Amino acid sequence: MTTDRGRGADGERAAAVEVRPVAGHIGAEITGVDLAGGLDDDVVAVIRAAVLRWKVVFFRGQRLDHAGHVALARRFGEPVVLPRRGKASPPDFPEIETTADRLELGGRFGMDHDEWLRRRRHTLLRGWHCDHGARVDPPAATILRAETVPPYGGDTTWSNLAAAYAGLSAPVREFADRLRAEHRLGVGYQPRPGDDAYVRHLLDRQTASEHPLVRVHPETGERVLFVNGYYVEQITGLSRPESAAVLEMLLEQATRPEYTVRFRWEPGSVAFWDNRATVHLAPGDTAHLDHPRIMHRVMLAGDVPVGVDGRPSTPLVGTAPGRW
């Protein structure tokens, strides 16, 4: 699909941008754009529309440095500045968080990388998440670029939560529309027997919010099945057994293969996704590879989710709108 704005130099540049869907419900590759070159308003509008329509868009062969990455993010919103970042993150760019899996996870909290993954993903659905979903105002979007990737493996998968909601039967949609759920940092982690340094770390940084189980997207108006495997602990008002059964059903719906897209990273690849309408699954197949995977992330500040009934999310502990 080629989008033609059709007026002046900006329109000519926008007309050269091609948005090619790569899966039936989610994902598109965008060509004809140099993300480091400074984007005019028409090209920004094309990219923004593609993100809203396809939920995640991909660019290849980009030459962004840290400054260019931050400048790109500012064309679409306000970058989040995290109070704490991993040691691999660049000190002069507080908007950027660097994830260097083998460097960051190996040896932390007394666990090697393999054990870390096993405890975070002790069920098939636990790894699926949106970024910072336990906050009362999760980020609106994430822009992730690849610096170094393994020669094979390391793919990321995204799922379209608006399509997942639409795919539910009408009675289940009506049921889910009325529900709210507690999202809490660390509930997807399976503790070690005895003392666990990571559990102490989580308790020191506890974050939790009550979100609508179905949120209304603030830009598209779509209803979004607002569930994920890593943060959602309990559906409000349901018993533990009822909540567990409903959540498993909804998580299975949210991650059905037909609602997903899988992306093969290359150095210079960039993924830009709507964190309000997707969950994603980071790779778990590279721990045994003797090759680093270094990625740089900038997140855009988001709003407080609102349910079908118009009620916003509420903070429970450790979170407030706009305060990181």
Side-chain angles (χ1 to χ4, degrees), residues 4 20 25 28 40 74-75 97 107 115 134 144 163 167 170 180 215 218 261 269 272 281 288 298 306 318 320:
D4 185 0
R20 295 190 301 236
H25 287 286
D40 59 57
R74 289 193 182 281
R75 296 292 279 126
E97 184 176 30
E115 183 179 359
L144 184 66
R180 295 170 71 85
R215 70 175 293 185
V261 64
S269 295
F272 182 175
L281 183 66
H288 64 291
V298 177
V306 174

Side-chain angles (χ1 to χ4, degrees), residues 19-243:
V19 180
R20 295 190 301 236
V22 294
H25 287 286
I26 180 172
E29 185 166 332
I30 298 182
T31 59
V33 176
D34 177 8
L35 296 178
L39 304 180
D40 59 57
D41 291 345
D42 280 13
V43 173
V44 168
V46 171
I47 295 172
R48 185 185 297 277
V51 172
L52 292 175
R53 169 64 179 87
W54 295 104
K55 313 310 181 196
V56 57
V57 298
F58 310 112
F59 306 83
R60 294 196 181 273
Q62 300 295 319
R63 294 179 177 156
L64 282 174
D65 57 13
H66 292 326
H69 193 168
V70 175
L72 170 67
R74 289 193 182 281
R75 296 292 279 126
F76 294 91
E78 181 63 31
V80 166
V81 175
L82 295 172
R84 292 177 294 271
R85 299 178 297 155
K87 62 185 179 182
S89 300
D92 295 334
F93 295 90
E95 304 90 347
I96 294 177
E97 184 176 30
T98 297
T99 59
D101 292 347
R102 295 180 61 85
L103 299 175
E104 289 295 295
L105 301 184
R108 291 191 69 191
F109 308 109
M111 291 180 284
D112 61 21
H113 194 181
D114 287 345
E115 183 179 359
W116 175 276
L117 286 177
R118 287 198 306 272
R119 295 193 177 280
R120 292 185 72 185
R121 300 184 183 183
H122 53 90
T123 71
L124 292 176
L125 298 174
R126 274 299 185 188
W128 289 93
H129 67 285
C130 63
D131 287 333
H132 291 273
R135 286 188 53 84
V136 71
D137 57 345
T142 298
I143 302 174
L144 184 66
R145 64 184 168 99
E147 177 183 322
T148 304
V149 297
Y152 50 89
D155 299 357
T156 304
T157 307
W158 289 262
S159 187
N160 182 340
L161 296 179
Y165 173 83
L168 291 168
S169 64
V172 175
R173 289 199 303 269
E174 293 169 7
F175 175 58
D177 285 348
R178 301 192 299 270
L179 298 176
R180 295 170 71 85
E182 180 178 308
H183 295 229
R184 183 174 292 273
L185 178 64
V187 298
Y189 173 74
Q190 187 177 59
R192 304 175 105 192
D195 183 56
D196 189 317
Y198 186 59
V199 169
R200 296 200 307 271
H201 169 82
L202 290 173
L203 290 175
D204 288 342
R205 294 163 173 79
Q206 193 52 250
T207 306
S209 302
E210 185 185 75
H211 291 305
L213 201 62
V214 178
R215 70 175 293 185
V216 179
H217 195 287
E219 294 188 70
T220 67
E222 295 171 295
R223 294 186 182 186
V224 175
L225 184 60
F226 196 40
V227 296
N228 68 81
Y230 193 64
Y231 293 111
V232 182
E233 180 175 37
Q234 171 76 25
I235 297 178
T236 305
L238 272 59
S239 69
R240 283 280 180 180
E242 290 170 337
S243 175

